[in-house]
Amino acid sequence: MKIKDKEIKETVDVCDRNCLKKPCYWPRPNPGSFVQGRGYRSTSDKGWICGTRHAHGCQKDGDK
């Protein structure tokens, strides 16, 4: 789901509507796909993502 972040004035791809309030929320430009030995490769999906979700997956509501 994509939500408008008013601080950075961009639309960010997040897991759910409450992500903007969670401490794990880390908005960043989409770096693309990471390939071992080659680094990041470009992607056709430009925009902003939650970096924590991209790198580690989302935490459940009960997790810290």
Side-chain angles (χ1 to χ4, degrees):
M1 126 181 299
K2 294 190 177 193
I3 301 261
K4 179 76 171 184
D5 186 326
K6 294 178 182 174
E7 288 186 29
I8 61 171
K9 298 179 179 139
E10 295 287 343
T11 303
V12 182
D13 187 17
V14 294
C15 186
D16 66 34
R17 191 166 303 279
N18 297 327
C19 284
L20 298 176
K21 299 173 187 170
K22 293 182 181 180
C24 62
Y25 175 66
W26 170 35
R28 65 178 287 198
N30 188 352
S33 301
F34 185 79
V35 178
Q36 186 76 25
R38 294 187 179 209
Y40 281 100
R41 310 309 275 169
S42 63
T43 181
S44 61
D45 185 24
K46 300 295 180 192
W48 288 70
I49 60 169
C50 175
T52 304
R53 178 182 180 202
H54 182 74
H56 305 290
C58 289
Q59 297 177 353
K60 294 179 183 176
D61 288 336
D63 295 346
K64 290 186 179 182

